[in-house]
Amino acid sequence: MTSLRIILCDQLSEDISSLEGYDFDKDMVLMCEARDMFNNVKHHKKKIAFLMSAMRHFSARLQQKGYCVTYTQLSRKKRSISLKDEIQKLLDSKNISRIILAHPGEYRMLEDLRSWEKDFKTPIEIRDDHRFLCTIDEFSSWAAGRKQLRMEYFYREMRKKYDILMQNGNPIGDKWNFDALNRKPPKEGLHIPPPFTNQKDAITQEVMDIVSEQFSDHFGDLEPFYFAVTRQQALDALHQFIQQRLIHFGDYQDAMIQGEPWMYHAHISFYLNCGLLSPLECAQAAEQAFQQGKAPLNATEGFIRQIIGWREYVRGIYWLKMPEYASLNFLEATNKLPDFYWTGQTKMNCLKNCVTETKKNAYAHHIQRLMVLGNFALLAGIDPKYVNEWFLIVYADAYQWVELPNVSGMILFADGGYLASKPYASGGSYINKMSDYCKSCKYKVAQKNGPDACPFNYLYWDFLDRNREKVSNNPRIAMMYRTYDRMDEVKRKAIKEDSSKFLKNMDDS
Ligand code: FAD
Ligand code: SF4
């Protein structure tokens, strides 16, 4: 019985479940640079080059280890490849009795596979993706019967299940969460180590030539290219983080400094999401650094929470709530995404910096995505479908299973509070506290109204007022409504007028 093992672009792990039980005498592996993988939305050029290079390196590694791999690649001559056609070609020419895959990361792909089974007249076995720490079924059992889900409780279960930062059944340090010690504002003179960089090899150069020729109309800068493209390089990137930046990860997790896009973050999401790193090894590497006295508990716990908590939690919600989740718009937001999300041309210095860095690096750290880019989209009432499309296009780590819950659930409150307990709305003062952006902004963060006022300030109150019916009974923001209601009529009128003027002319802001 010959099995055809399919490896998708985000399944580049040698221990992927689709390779389990591989028969080296009979079975074969198919990998291909399917055009729609890069074109279903027009992904950042750097992401396409990264994935194509990582796939080619991975396929070479499998071949070295004796796997029989058919790899179809884009080239000057071959500009269009479809996974379905490539499977069909092998079915027509080889005696294949079943197709095996690990569970795909996107709902659309799962639907495709289910429908292809009939066309191929060959069974398709979809196996759990063991690289995640919580299976789709386990998450759904955990969520069953809960009206609202809370990441914190899920995270505690994961800590216990994997015995991470635990001692005799209790959390080390006697607390599950040390966020109260984290999130310091940036201070002058911080030494931020440079990010991991990797030299391009011939394979990467070849795919970069293809990307610059065939994907030239996609968003983002292709050069400079520094991503790891093999497992060993990704491990080097992880170890560099553990040795050089984990120590301050917690302290400056929310800090933003102009000209410092990487801060003390790990920059490993691209590697985790395509399979070059595993979540458990990342969490264990941090735990080991803590045990060796090389990293404090607040930083270690905070980092581990992101990986075994948030990352698994958003994936669980995605599979629990798809396909409906993709079209949720609880706040009925209908505005278009302003052009400056693509060009970076805005007088709002925080947004200008975050967009420009995103374009250059295919990366922005969490707080830039949440409190600047996301917060603005929430306050400005941008339709979730445009915001989701943007976030899926611009980041090298973007896959719908992780992007959609973060955008629709965490930043836009489009799911009505299923994922997050309140909308993450905030005025300019939070950005001012956690960054140095406001110092060189045309707008004045201390000013609340008028042409020079920071737009986040009046948009914040206008957002609350516009959505009063939907969110005012949320106990976590009820106090803000009381503050708004105590404002005099003149002040409230100014908020309305400034907001309305701003929203009508967003592209000139
Ligand atoms: P670090 O800050 O160093 O954190 C370590 C790891 O924790 C990350 O690599 C990531 O794997 C995990 N992590 C942290 N926060 C989250 C989270 N909220 N959800 C899932 N995993 C998390 N992450 C993606 O991987 N892909 C996305 O498409 C994506 N879109 C996002 C969109 C928005 C609006 C927001 C607010 C967050 C999004 N995130 C996404 C989560 C997070 O911002 C990125 O994982 C993180 O910035 C990646 O950089 P890092 O590796 O330096 O992370
Ligand atoms: Fe952003 Fe407002 Fe600060 Fe300008 S003043 S950088 S718009 S928060």
Side-chain angles (χ1 to χ4, degrees), residues 22-56:
Y22 182 89
D23 184 334
F24 283 85
D25 294 327
K26 291 194 213 141
D27 290 355
M28 59 186 72
V29 174
L30 171 66
M31 293 179 70
C32 74
E33 293 168 5
R35 185 96 198 176
D36 72 342
M37 214 157 66
F38 310 125
N39 265 3
N40 59 353
V41 298
K42 293 172 90 170
H43 292 285
H44 195 297
K45 292 190 198 82
K46 228 172 216 132
K47 178 182 184 186
I48 302 176
F50 161 61
L51 277 182
M52 275 169 63
S53 180
M55 286 172 74
R56 289 182 185 196

mmCIF file of all heavy atoms in Angstrom, residues 22-56:
data_model
loop_
_atom_site.group_PDB
_atom_site.id
_atom_site.type_symbol
_atom_site.label_atom_id
_atom_site.label_comp_id
_atom_site.label_asym_id
_atom_site.label_seq_id
_atom_site.Cartn_x
_atom_site.Cartn_y
_atom_site.Cartn_z
ATOM 1 N N TYR A 22 6.051 6.340 7.928
ATOM 2 C CA TYR A 22 6.477 6.409 6.518
ATOM 3 C C TYR A 22 7.217 5.131 6.128
ATOM 4 O O TYR A 22 8.114 4.679 6.844
ATOM 5 C CB TYR A 22 7.391 7.632 6.346
ATOM 6 C CG TYR A 22 7.878 7.863 4.939
ATOM 7 C CD1 TYR A 22 7.148 8.647 4.050
ATOM 8 C CD2 TYR A 22 9.079 7.306 4.495
ATOM 9 C CE1 TYR A 22 7.600 8.862 2.750
ATOM 10 C CE2 TYR A 22 9.535 7.509 3.208
ATOM 11 C CZ TYR A 22 8.797 8.295 2.338
ATOM 12 O OH TYR A 22 9.240 8.506 1.059
ATOM 13 N N ASP A 23 6.828 4.560 5.012
ATOM 14 C CA ASP A 23 7.480 3.332 4.532
ATOM 15 C C ASP A 23 8.529 3.736 3.491
ATOM 16 O O ASP A 23 8.179 4.179 2.387
ATOM 17 C CB ASP A 23 6.404 2.419 3.920
ATOM 18 C CG ASP A 23 6.986 1.087 3.481
ATOM 19 O OD1 ASP A 23 8.203 1.047 3.185
ATOM 20 O OD2 ASP A 23 6.235 0.101 3.437
ATOM 21 N N PHE A 24 9.813 3.619 3.859
ATOM 22 C CA PHE A 24 10.891 4.103 2.974
ATOM 23 C C PHE A 24 10.988 3.288 1.685
ATOM 24 O O PHE A 24 11.620 3.706 0.731
ATOM 25 C CB PHE A 24 12.239 4.130 3.723
ATOM 26 C CG PHE A 24 12.353 5.323 4.654
ATOM 27 C CD1 PHE A 24 11.828 5.271 5.942
ATOM 28 C CD2 PHE A 24 12.938 6.508 4.226
ATOM 29 C CE1 PHE A 24 11.907 6.371 6.792
ATOM 30 C CE2 PHE A 24 13.026 7.617 5.067
ATOM 31 C CZ PHE A 24 12.503 7.548 6.353
ATOM 32 N N ASP A 25 10.342 2.120 1.629
ATOM 33 C CA ASP A 25 10.388 1.333 0.388
ATOM 34 C C ASP A 25 9.304 1.748 -0.587
ATOM 35 O O ASP A 25 9.439 1.599 -1.785
ATOM 36 C CB ASP A 25 10.215 -0.168 0.702
ATOM 37 C CG ASP A 25 11.411 -0.677 1.494
ATOM 38 O OD1 ASP A 25 12.519 -0.151 1.231
ATOM 39 O OD2 ASP A 25 11.224 -1.534 2.379
ATOM 40 N N LYS A 26 8.187 2.257 -0.040
ATOM 41 C CA LYS A 26 7.049 2.476 -0.950
ATOM 42 C C LYS A 26 6.514 3.898 -0.979
ATOM 43 O O LYS A 26 5.994 4.356 -1.995
ATOM 44 C CB LYS A 26 5.879 1.579 -0.482
ATOM 45 C CG LYS A 26 6.091 0.127 -0.660
ATOM 46 C CD LYS A 26 4.747 -0.550 -0.482
ATOM 47 C CE LYS A 26 4.912 -1.913 0.153
ATOM 48 N NZ LYS A 26 3.872 -2.204 1.112
ATOM 49 N N ASP A 27 6.550 4.589 0.142
ATOM 50 C CA ASP A 27 5.807 5.860 0.238
ATOM 51 C C ASP A 27 6.524 7.015 -0.455
ATOM 52 O O ASP A 27 7.702 6.919 -0.768
ATOM 53 C CB ASP A 27 5.571 6.213 1.714
ATOM 54 C CG ASP A 27 4.566 5.268 2.354
ATOM 55 O OD1 ASP A 27 4.010 4.432 1.610
ATOM 56 O OD2 ASP A 27 4.345 5.360 3.566
ATOM 57 N N MET A 28 5.779 8.078 -0.672
ATOM 58 C CA MET A 28 6.402 9.267 -1.265
ATOM 59 C C MET A 28 5.825 10.532 -0.633
ATOM 60 O O MET A 28 4.737 10.513 -0.058
ATOM 61 C CB MET A 28 6.224 9.273 -2.775
ATOM 62 C CG MET A 28 4.802 9.260 -3.249
ATOM 63 S SD MET A 28 4.719 9.081 -5.018
ATOM 64 C CE MET A 28 5.201 7.396 -5.208
ATOM 65 N N VAL A 29 6.612 11.598 -0.758
ATOM 66 C CA VAL A 29 6.233 12.886 -0.168
ATOM 67 C C VAL A 29 6.013 13.875 -1.312
ATOM 68 O O VAL A 29 6.773 13.859 -2.286
ATOM 69 C CB VAL A 29 7.368 13.419 0.740
ATOM 70 C CG1 VAL A 29 7.054 14.823 1.244
ATOM 71 C CG2 VAL A 29 7.623 12.471 1.902
ATOM 72 N N LEU A 30 4.983 14.692 -1.182
ATOM 73 C CA LEU A 30 4.785 15.763 -2.173
ATOM 74 C C LEU A 30 4.834 17.110 -1.466
ATOM 75 O O LEU A 30 4.158 17.332 -0.461
ATOM 76 C CB LEU A 30 3.421 15.607 -2.870
ATOM 77 C CG LEU A 30 3.022 16.782 -3.772
ATOM 78 C CD1 LEU A 30 3.952 16.918 -4.978
ATOM 79 C CD2 LEU A 30 1.579 16.644 -4.258
ATOM 80 N N MET A 31 5.663 17.989 -2.019
ATOM 81 C CA MET A 31 5.652 19.389 -1.570
ATOM 82 C C MET A 31 5.571 20.242 -2.821
ATOM 83 O O MET A 31 6.184 19.911 -3.832
ATOM 84 C CB MET A 31 6.949 19.746 -0.833
ATOM 85 C CG MET A 31 7.122 19.024 0.475
ATOM 86 S SD MET A 31 8.695 19.471 1.260
ATOM 87 C CE MET A 31 8.381 21.162 1.753
ATOM 88 N N CYS A 32 4.815 21.329 -2.775
ATOM 89 C CA CYS A 32 4.833 22.193 -3.953
ATOM 90 C C CYS A 32 4.593 23.650 -3.592
ATOM 91 O O CYS A 32 3.949 23.961 -2.600
ATOM 92 C CB CYS A 32 3.875 21.689 -5.013
ATOM 93 S SG CYS A 32 2.175 21.935 -4.679
ATOM 94 N N GLU A 33 5.165 24.493 -4.427
ATOM 95 C CA GLU A 33 5.030 25.942 -4.227
ATOM 96 C C GLU A 33 3.746 26.401 -4.913
ATOM 97 O O GLU A 33 3.781 27.046 -5.974
ATOM 98 C CB GLU A 33 6.274 26.652 -4.778
ATOM 99 C CG GLU A 33 7.512 26.308 -3.973
ATOM 100 C CD GLU A 33 8.830 26.737 -4.621
ATOM 101 O OE1 GLU A 33 8.811 27.398 -5.677
ATOM 102 O OE2 GLU A 33 9.886 26.400 -4.054
ATOM 103 N N ALA A 34 2.638 25.999 -4.333
ATOM 104 C CA ALA A 34 1.335 26.297 -4.950
ATOM 105 C C ALA A 34 1.125 27.812 -4.995
ATOM 106 O O ALA A 34 1.316 28.495 -3.997
ATOM 107 C CB ALA A 34 0.238 25.626 -4.151
ATOM 108 N N ARG A 35 0.731 28.270 -6.150
ATOM 109 C CA ARG A 35 0.611 29.719 -6.348
ATOM 110 C C ARG A 35 -0.394 30.341 -5.371
ATOM 111 O O ARG A 35 -0.167 31.420 -4.831
ATOM 112 C CB ARG A 35 0.175 29.952 -7.802
ATOM 113 C CG ARG A 35 0.115 31.377 -8.204
ATOM 114 C CD ARG A 35 1.412 31.782 -8.890
ATOM 115 N NE ARG A 35 1.545 33.215 -8.907
ATOM 116 C CZ ARG A 35 2.593 33.846 -9.358
ATOM 117 N NH1 ARG A 35 3.627 33.180 -9.812
ATOM 118 N NH2 ARG A 35 2.651 35.145 -9.351
ATOM 119 N N ASP A 36 -1.507 29.648 -5.144
ATOM 120 C CA ASP A 36 -2.549 30.286 -4.316
ATOM 121 C C ASP A 36 -2.155 30.372 -2.836
ATOM 122 O O ASP A 36 -2.736 31.104 -2.058
ATOM 123 C CB ASP A 36 -3.920 29.638 -4.502
ATOM 124 C CG ASP A 36 -3.996 28.282 -3.870
ATOM 125 O OD1 ASP A 36 -2.928 27.697 -3.597
ATOM 126 O OD2 ASP A 36 -5.121 27.801 -3.639
ATOM 127 N N MET A 37 -1.124 29.627 -2.463
ATOM 128 C CA MET A 37 -0.584 29.730 -1.103
ATOM 129 C C MET A 37 -0.074 31.160 -0.862
ATOM 130 O O MET A 37 -0.153 31.694 0.222
ATOM 131 C CB MET A 37 0.624 28.791 -1.056
ATOM 132 C CG MET A 37 0.898 28.094 0.198
ATOM 133 S SD MET A 37 1.881 26.631 -0.210
ATOM 134 C CE MET A 37 3.428 27.278 -0.811
ATOM 135 N N PHE A 38 0.478 31.760 -1.904
ATOM 136 C CA PHE A 38 1.071 33.092 -1.771
ATOM 137 C C PHE A 38 0.128 34.174 -2.288
ATOM 138 O O PHE A 38 0.380 35.362 -2.109
ATOM 139 C CB PHE A 38 2.389 33.165 -2.554
ATOM 140 C CG PHE A 38 3.327 32.031 -2.257
ATOM 141 C CD1 PHE A 38 3.833 31.239 -3.272
ATOM 142 C CD2 PHE A 38 3.703 31.751 -0.946
ATOM 143 C CE1 PHE A 38 4.700 30.197 -2.993
ATOM 144 C CE2 PHE A 38 4.567 30.709 -0.658
ATOM 145 C CZ PHE A 38 5.063 29.922 -1.679
ATOM 146 N N ASN A 39 -0.929 33.723 -2.985
ATOM 147 C CA ASN A 39 -1.796 34.695 -3.661
ATOM 148 C C ASN A 39 -3.208 34.748 -3.114
ATOM 149 O O ASN A 39 -3.985 35.575 -3.560
ATOM 150 C CB ASN A 39 -1.929 34.297 -5.146
ATOM 151 C CG ASN A 39 -0.940 35.041 -5.996
ATOM 152 O OD1 ASN A 39 -0.148 35.799 -5.467
ATOM 153 N ND2 ASN A 39 -0.984 34.812 -7.281
ATOM 154 N N ASN A 40 -3.583 33.828 -2.208
ATOM 155 C CA ASN A 40 -4.973 33.872 -1.710
ATOM 156 C C ASN A 40 -5.245 35.227 -1.094
ATOM 157 O O ASN A 40 -6.311 35.788 -1.242
ATOM 158 C CB ASN A 40 -5.301 32.709 -0.758
ATOM 159 C CG ASN A 40 -4.404 32.677 0.460
ATOM 160 O OD1 ASN A 40 -3.450 33.443 0.558
ATOM 161 N ND2 ASN A 40 -4.706 31.818 1.399
ATOM 162 N N VAL A 41 -4.259 35.772 -0.375
ATOM 163 C CA VAL A 41 -4.154 37.218 -0.212
ATOM 164 C C VAL A 41 -2.723 37.528 -0.652
ATOM 165 O O VAL A 41 -1.878 36.640 -0.663
ATOM 166 C CB VAL A 41 -4.393 37.696 1.242
ATOM 167 C CG1 VAL A 41 -5.761 37.372 1.744
ATOM 168 C CG2 VAL A 41 -3.327 37.187 2.177
ATOM 169 N N LYS A 42 -2.480 38.801 -0.995
ATOM 170 C CA LYS A 42 -1.172 39.105 -1.588
ATOM 171 C C LYS A 42 -0.131 39.328 -0.482
ATOM 172 O O LYS A 42 0.138 40.453 -0.078
ATOM 173 C CB LYS A 42 -1.297 40.318 -2.498
ATOM 174 C CG LYS A 42 -2.157 40.005 -3.724
ATOM 175 C CD LYS A 42 -2.456 41.226 -4.535
ATOM 176 C CE LYS A 42 -1.369 41.409 -5.564
ATOM 177 N NZ LYS A 42 -1.712 42.444 -6.551
ATOM 178 N N HIS A 43 0.445 38.205 -0.025
ATOM 179 C CA HIS A 43 1.343 38.257 1.127
ATOM 180 C C HIS A 43 2.574 39.130 0.880
ATOM 181 O O HIS A 43 2.999 39.315 -0.261
ATOM 182 C CB HIS A 43 1.803 36.834 1.479
ATOM 183 C CG HIS A 43 0.691 35.985 2.012
ATOM 184 N ND1 HIS A 43 0.194 36.136 3.282
ATOM 185 C CD2 HIS A 43 -0.043 35.000 1.437
ATOM 186 C CE1 HIS A 43 -0.781 35.272 3.470
ATOM 187 N NE2 HIS A 43 -0.955 34.572 2.373
ATOM 188 N N HIS A 44 3.124 39.628 1.971
ATOM 189 C CA HIS A 44 4.368 40.418 1.967
ATOM 190 C C HIS A 44 5.450 39.645 1.192
ATOM 191 O O HIS A 44 5.590 38.433 1.369
ATOM 192 C CB HIS A 44 4.810 40.616 3.419
ATOM 193 C CG HIS A 44 5.836 41.682 3.629
ATOM 194 N ND1 HIS A 44 7.092 41.621 3.098
ATOM 195 C CD2 HIS A 44 5.791 42.848 4.332
ATOM 196 C CE1 HIS A 44 7.799 42.685 3.459
ATOM 197 N NE2 HIS A 44 7.011 43.458 4.215
ATOM 198 N N LYS A 45 6.202 40.368 0.403
ATOM 199 C CA LYS A 45 7.236 39.709 -0.423
ATOM 200 C C LYS A 45 8.209 38.893 0.447
ATOM 201 O O LYS A 45 8.637 37.803 0.085
ATOM 202 C CB LYS A 45 8.045 40.762 -1.183
ATOM 203 C CG LYS A 45 7.260 41.497 -2.251
ATOM 204 C CD LYS A 45 8.234 42.317 -3.096
ATOM 205 C CE LYS A 45 7.544 43.393 -3.895
ATOM 206 N NZ LYS A 45 7.262 44.622 -3.134
ATOM 207 N N LYS A 46 8.548 39.460 1.599
ATOM 208 C CA LYS A 46 9.530 38.766 2.457
ATOM 209 C C LYS A 46 8.977 37.439 2.962
ATOM 210 O O LYS A 46 9.719 36.471 3.125
ATOM 211 C CB LYS A 46 9.829 39.657 3.660
ATOM 212 C CG LYS A 46 11.278 39.803 3.916
ATOM 213 C CD LYS A 46 11.561 40.831 4.988
ATOM 214 C CE LYS A 46 12.820 41.551 4.621
ATOM 215 N NZ LYS A 46 12.816 42.957 4.683
ATOM 216 N N LYS A 47 7.688 37.415 3.223
ATOM 217 C CA LYS A 47 7.088 36.164 3.715
ATOM 218 C C LYS A 47 7.158 35.091 2.625
ATOM 219 O O LYS A 47 7.468 33.932 2.906
ATOM 220 C CB LYS A 47 5.626 36.397 4.114
ATOM 221 C CG LYS A 47 4.969 35.113 4.591
ATOM 222 C CD LYS A 47 3.525 35.309 4.940
ATOM 223 C CE LYS A 47 2.924 34.044 5.495
ATOM 224 N NZ LYS A 47 1.486 34.156 5.715
ATOM 225 N N ILE A 48 6.887 35.480 1.386
ATOM 226 C CA ILE A 48 6.901 34.493 0.303
ATOM 227 C C ILE A 48 8.320 33.948 0.118
ATOM 228 O O ILE A 48 8.524 32.727 0.026
ATOM 229 C CB ILE A 48 6.383 35.118 -1.015
ATOM 230 C CG1 ILE A 48 4.968 35.673 -0.812
ATOM 231 C CG2 ILE A 48 6.399 34.091 -2.140
ATOM 232 C CD1 ILE A 48 4.396 36.395 -2.012
ATOM 233 N N ALA A 49 9.297 34.857 0.101
ATOM 234 C CA ALA A 49 10.691 34.411 -0.076
ATOM 235 C C ALA A 49 11.105 33.503 1.076
ATOM 236 O O ALA A 49 11.736 32.458 0.874
ATOM 237 C CB ALA A 49 11.611 35.619 -0.160
ATOM 238 N N PHE A 50 10.718 33.894 2.288
ATOM 239 C CA PHE A 50 11.063 33.100 3.476
ATOM 240 C C PHE A 50 10.486 31.687 3.360
ATOM 241 O O PHE A 50 11.193 30.684 3.518
ATOM 242 C CB PHE A 50 10.530 33.817 4.725
ATOM 243 C CG PHE A 50 10.396 32.943 5.936
ATOM 244 C CD1 PHE A 50 11.509 32.321 6.487
ATOM 245 C CD2 PHE A 50 9.152 32.731 6.526
ATOM 246 C CE1 PHE A 50 11.378 31.499 7.607
ATOM 247 C CE2 PHE A 50 9.017 31.919 7.635
ATOM 248 C CZ PHE A 50 10.133 31.294 8.182
ATOM 249 N N LEU A 51 9.195 31.609 3.041
ATOM 250 C CA LEU A 51 8.556 30.285 2.999
ATOM 251 C C LEU A 51 9.115 29.430 1.867
ATOM 252 O O LEU A 51 9.356 28.241 2.044
ATOM 253 C CB LEU A 51 7.044 30.439 2.839
ATOM 254 C CG LEU A 51 6.269 30.686 4.127
ATOM 255 C CD1 LEU A 51 4.788 30.762 3.848
ATOM 256 C CD2 LEU A 51 6.553 29.592 5.166
ATOM 257 N N MET A 52 9.316 30.047 0.692
ATOM 258 C CA MET A 52 9.822 29.258 -0.431
ATOM 259 C C MET A 52 11.224 28.730 -0.119
ATOM 260 O O MET A 52 11.547 27.575 -0.390
ATOM 261 C CB MET A 52 9.840 30.092 -1.717
ATOM 262 C CG MET A 52 8.484 30.055 -2.422
ATOM 263 S SD MET A 52 8.327 31.250 -3.769
ATOM 264 C CE MET A 52 9.567 30.708 -4.879
ATOM 265 N N SER A 53 12.049 29.582 0.469
ATOM 266 C CA SER A 53 13.409 29.141 0.782
ATOM 267 C C SER A 53 13.378 28.046 1.862
ATOM 268 O O SER A 53 14.056 27.014 1.748
ATOM 269 C CB SER A 53 14.256 30.329 1.238
ATOM 270 O OG SER A 53 15.547 29.887 1.532
ATOM 271 N N ALA A 54 12.556 28.270 2.898
ATOM 272 C CA ALA A 54 12.476 27.268 3.976
ATOM 273 C C ALA A 54 11.940 25.937 3.435
ATOM 274 O O ALA A 54 12.413 24.859 3.829
ATOM 275 C CB ALA A 54 11.586 27.795 5.103
ATOM 276 N N MET A 55 10.975 25.999 2.514
ATOM 277 C CA MET A 55 10.430 24.756 1.935
ATOM 278 C C MET A 55 11.504 24.016 1.131
ATOM 279 O O MET A 55 11.642 22.800 1.213
ATOM 280 C CB MET A 55 9.260 25.078 1.000
ATOM 281 C CG MET A 55 7.987 25.468 1.722
ATOM 282 S SD MET A 55 6.758 26.060 0.547
ATOM 283 C CE MET A 55 6.246 24.516 -0.213
ATOM 284 N N ARG A 56 12.275 24.768 0.346
ATOM 285 C CA ARG A 56 13.299 24.111 -0.480
ATOM 286 C C ARG A 56 14.382 23.475 0.400
ATOM 287 O O ARG A 56 14.850 22.378 0.129
ATOM 288 C CB ARG A 56 13.911 25.127 -1.455
ATOM 289 C CG ARG A 56 12.919 25.510 -2.552
ATOM 290 C CD ARG A 56 13.500 26.471 -3.570
ATOM 291 N NE ARG A 56 12.451 26.874 -4.509
ATOM 292 C CZ ARG A 56 12.667 27.447 -5.690
ATOM 293 N NH1 ARG A 56 13.890 27.705 -6.071
ATOM 294 N NH2 ARG A 56 11.644 27.774 -6.477
#
